[in-house]
Amino acid sequence: MLRCCYFALLLFVGCPLLFSATFSPDRILSDPPPRRIKIGSKPALPAFADGRLTLEIVVARDAVPVVRFAALELGRYLKRALGIEVPTVSEPDPVLTSLVLGDTAWSSAAGISIEEMPLDGFFIKSYGTSIYLGGIDDPDFDPANSDSDLLYHAHGTVTAVYDFLERFLGVRFYFPGEIGTLVPPLDKLAFPEIDIVDRPDLPRRSFAWSANLQFSPGDLARYQLHLRSSTFPVPDQDGMESLAIAKRWAAKYPDILGADDSGRRQNSSEHQVRPRFCFASEFLCNNLYLDAEAFLTGKAASSRGLDAWNPTAFQPGFFNLSLPANAQNCYCEKCQRFYQNRKESERFWNVIAEIARKLQQNRIPGYLTLCDSGQYSRLPQITLPDNVLVAIPVDNPWLLNSFRPVRLEEQLAFWRKTLKRKPWLSVNISLGMQPSFLPAVMPVAIGNFICRNSPAISGAHFRTQSTLCLNYYIAAKCAWNTSLKAEQLMQEHHQFMFGAAAPAMRKVFDTCEKLCLATLNAENALPPAQKSRENLWSSIYTPAQIEYLKNCFAEAEAATENTPEYRGKVNYFRNALLSPLEAATK
């Protein structure tokens, strides 16, 4: 099972908080303003030279826990880079270079405001002898005391600190743990004049881990921060499943459950296995509206006969009405008459449009969200109100073949033209029938896919079986800044990670990605019921290809013979990528 940040959320009971101005739906959904990146060409603020430190970290006495955590992280990596402890103080010293964290009176005096800043944005700005780092921070969230990778709390100052470390100290967070975190040693450090206000190009960015990732919960939680995951979830799944429709109403109103093609209505037990709703039922449609209205206006779940509002499906300002993935059409007499002149999927779209329009007419704030999966992936023939948001589920969308009724490019073009807000993608990086010993290397394909489609989407949720964290890293970087090139990011990774072995390791990663995509393409070309692993060894992972990978690793080992820090990383990837293949061939 995937260790998914959505699936792991605890149900919350009672009344959802009505959204504040900070987390209002329109602010969450708004297009990002231009980023501002101005960095001087000459050192202006000295920090460390000739063993002498002229640097301090400043945390106000009333700082929130997020800011205190950011200070700990900044101090930890500065010490690793400089070999000396950088003091943390409560007020800036004008004779030192001060790294002032958070939204403070000092940053306000320097002309910095977070009032219009996107939720995931941050600032890094030099003024006088200080450099200010901060953003919007949740006053109640404490990353230091949480091993959870559920990071749906504003943490702009932490993001500012990690960007500062990457940009000005050359730190890289490729994957969790020591071996995947690179901190170059520095014998001197000075900073230029800085004026940065940055934010993500794609507001929705989240990652669901493979259950096989061999890292501690704390490391994974910190890695979500490194990847700059979204601070607010817009739900895209589990809506109707979370409403316990059959349990609440089927006994008294059996016509809410659909009929099979013989006209026989489901019973509740059958509905649990293969859900079938009858949208000809006025009772069902009206109560779906009442559920949406109750949640969006801040009423308790108990007011609608529920124990809790499931946060997977419902977040302040956003009410999800996605069908279960295996939902079936109803073939009662009324529905059959509807289908005579319209596509079967239009029955569902009509209900969504009706509920959305009614919310607007009654001036209920917020949005209906849904994932157009299963039979309802056919594009609607009616106009949807502009308080509807759509997520598009896609499996390995960079592959050549797809069994969805409409190609992804056509869907994106349709939704971009039809809806007020861009759709986002619910991406499943599925390894299908691939055995676990095959290296799941797809970072370039994933990164290029994101950048190529970025004009038509507002983000992506990634769910994957892959244990290669570079897939996550490249996806996160390209979703934050869609002008980046995945190939260049990988080239930098190889140089930073492997030193003189970079050319050999580039051949390793290029080959592994080519073979991984070839396997998935071969499998994807077959209908779902005919997946096959035939010819895996004879046509893709041939003896010649495996021998080539062995030679590449031998070349990398020779290049790092006298640099143990790089040799250890080469060995790490040999064990991760090649050793399982070698064992399987035997």
Side-chain angles (χ1 to χ4, degrees):
M1 291 179 62
L2 295 178
R3 178 186 170 140
C4 179
C5 50
Y6 276 161
F7 297 159
L9 282 166
L10 296 177
L11 298 182
F12 62 90
V13 292
C15 175
L17 294 175
L18 288 178
F19 34 82
S20 65
T22 300
F23 289 97
S24 68
D26 287 331
R27 185 170 183 183
I28 291 166
L29 298 173
S30 62
D31 290 332
R35 55 170 49 93
R36 183 170 74 240
I37 311 290
K38 296 181 180 179
I39 301 173
S41 58
K42 298 179 180 179
L45 296 168
F48 180 69
D50 301 323
R52 180 170 176 266
L53 186 72
T54 54
L55 185 68
E56 64 180 1
I57 300 169
V58 180
V59 178
R61 290 185 177 89
D62 61 351
V64 299
V66 170
V67 173
R68 296 191 179 280
F69 173 81
L72 290 173
E73 288 291 276
L74 180 58
R76 180 159 72 106
Y77 289 111
L78 282 170
K79 182 177 181 181
R80 286 180 59 179
L82 304 177
I84 188 171
E85 191 92 34
V86 177
T88 298
V89 298
S90 58
E91 293 185 5
D93 185 334
V95 302
L96 298 176
T97 296
S98 303
L99 302 177
V100 183
L101 303 191
D103 178 30
T104 65
W106 301 305
S107 60
S108 296
I112 301 170
S113 171
I114 63 171
E115 290 301 316
E116 302 300 323
M117 184 169 290
L119 298 183
D120 295 338
F122 63 87
F123 60 81
I124 305 175
K125 181 177 175 63
S126 60
Y127 185 82
T129 60
S130 294
I131 300 175
Y132 299 94
L133 303 91
I136 298 173
D137 295 318
D138 186 324
D140 300 318
F141 176 50
D142 186 0
N145 292 326
S146 174
D147 281 345
S148 171
D149 58 7
L150 312 178
L151 295 177
Y152 294 131
H153 307 271
H155 49 268
T157 300
V158 176
T159 305
V161 162
Y162 288 142
D163 185 271
F164 180 83
L165 291 168
E166 289 179 325
R167 196 183 295 271
F168 298 107
L169 278 79
V171 175
R172 290 296 181 270
F173 304 104
Y174 289 123
F175 52 91
E178 292 299 311
I179 199 167
T181 304
L182 305 187
V183 186
L186 301 173
D187 55 13
K188 61 181 178 179
L189 180 65
F191 303 108
E193 292 184 350
I194 305 167
D195 185 7
I196 294 174
V197 177
D198 202 359
R199 80 298 175 272
D201 284 336
L202 301 182
R204 270 158 289 293
R205 308 164 321 284
S206 63
F207 303 89
W209 311 127
S210 165
N212 297 323
L213 280 183
Q214 301 300 310
F215 300 105
S216 71
D219 281 342
L220 288 174
R222 187 171 273 108
Y223 191 51
Q224 284 278 23
L225 292 170
H226 294 158
L227 296 180
R228 308 182 186 184
S229 298
S230 302
T231 59
F232 192 95
V234 177
D236 67 359
Q237 61 184 336
D238 292 351
M240 290 200 185
E241 287 182 282
S242 300
L243 294 175
I245 290 169
K247 179 181 178 182
R248 290 158 73 193
W249 301 314
K252 190 173 181 180
Y253 300 95
D255 65 335
I256 67 172
L257 302 184
D260 61 23
D261 51 13
S262 70
R264 185 183 67 84
R265 294 274 180 190
Q266 273 192 330
N267 58 45
S268 293
S269 60
E270 292 171 321
H271 180 83
Q272 299 305 316
V273 179
R274 300 188 73 185
R276 198 187 292 269
F277 299 100
C278 179
F279 292 118
S281 166
E282 291 184 15
F283 176 87
L284 174 60
C285 297
N286 185 54
N287 276 276
L288 290 176
Y289 166 79
L290 292 174
D291 284 347
E293 180 191 68
F295 179 81
L296 293 172
T297 55
K299 291 183 177 140
S302 57
S303 72
R304 295 295 301 154
L306 291 166
D307 295 331
W309 296 114
N310 179 1
T312 299
F314 316 120
Q315 287 287 329
F318 302 97
F319 189 86
N320 184 261
L321 275 180
S322 293
L323 286 161
N326 60 341
Q328 308 296 304
N329 286 320
C330 173
Y331 293 100
C332 72
E333 185 177 345
K334 288 183 180 180
C335 288
Q336 295 255 28
R337 285 201 300 270
F338 180 93
Y339 302 151
Q340 288 175 2
N341 301 314
R342 284 157 288 195
K343 295 181 183 294
E344 294 177 352
S345 57
E346 286 301 290
R347 176 57 103 183
F348 172 68
W349 289 119
N350 275 14
V351 171
I352 293 297
E354 180 181 341
I355 294 173
R357 274 194 294 268
K358 195 171 179 180
L359 289 169
Q360 286 185 330
Q361 289 166 2
N362 294 333
R363 299 186 178 182
I364 306 300
Y367 290 83
L368 286 185
T369 75
L370 63 142
C371 201
D372 67 334
S373 59
Q375 301 176 60
Y376 302 97
S377 57
R378 296 188 183 278
L379 301 175
Q381 296 177 326
I382 60 171
T383 301
L384 297 177
D386 59 14
N387 59 342
V388 173
L389 303 175
V390 170
I392 303 172
V394 283
D395 289 340
N396 300 329
W398 41 85
L399 300 184
L400 300 178
N401 303 285
S402 173
F403 293 98
R404 285 176 63 83
V406 184
R407 293 175 62 247
L408 177 60
E409 293 79 4
E410 296 174 49
Q411 294 177 74
L412 291 175
F414 173 87
W415 289 120
R416 189 177 184 187
K417 179 180 178 181
T418 303
L419 297 180
K420 178 182 178 181
R421 305 289 186 179
K422 294 177 185 177
W424 68 98
L425 302 178
S426 182
V427 180
N428 181 32
I429 304 173
S430 171
L431 305 183
M433 297 293 290
Q434 282 202 74
S436 59
F437 54 77
L438 297 183
V441 179
M442 294 176 278
V444 173
I446 295 169
N448 287 340
F449 168 78
I450 293 169
C451 295
R452 183 171 65 251
N453 289 287
S454 60
I457 62 176
S458 61
H461 301 314
F462 289 91
R463 302 173 179 88
T464 177
Q465 301 161 268
S466 172
T467 58
L468 182 72
C469 288
L470 271 176
N471 291 334
Y472 308 123
Y473 176 83
I474 299 297
K477 287 293 183 186
C478 289
W480 182 276
N481 186 343
T482 57
S483 68
L484 296 176
K485 304 295 183 186
E487 292 87 351
Q488 293 176 1
L489 290 170
M490 287 297 292
Q491 186 173 351
E492 181 193 82
H493 166 267
H494 302 330
Q495 191 61 52
F496 284 15
M497 185 72 83
F498 306 117
M505 292 304 293
R506 179 178 182 177
K507 289 187 285 187
V508 167
F509 278 89
D510 287 351
T511 300
C512 285
E513 177 150 358
K514 179 188 72 174
L515 297 178
C516 178
L517 294 177
T519 306
L520 289 172
N521 269 315
E523 178 182 317
N524 201 54
L526 298 170
Q530 298 180 24
K531 299 298 184 187
S532 171
R533 283 193 246 163
E534 293 178 5
N535 301 321
L536 177 68
W537 300 109
S538 61
S539 62
I540 299 177
Y541 290 90
T542 63
Q545 288 285 11
I546 294 175
E547 188 64 27
Y548 177 74
L549 288 173
K550 290 180 182 178
N551 292 336
C552 290
F553 273 107
E555 181 183 338
E557 289 164 357
T560 55
E561 184 177 3
N562 299 316
T563 50
E565 69 273 19
Y566 292 125
R567 168 62 74 85
K569 296 176 176 65
V570 170
N571 291 340
Y572 175 90
F573 280 102
R574 175 164 194 149
N575 292 333
L577 302 178
L578 180 59
S579 295
L581 275 176
E582 291 180 307
T585 61
K586 298 175 183 178

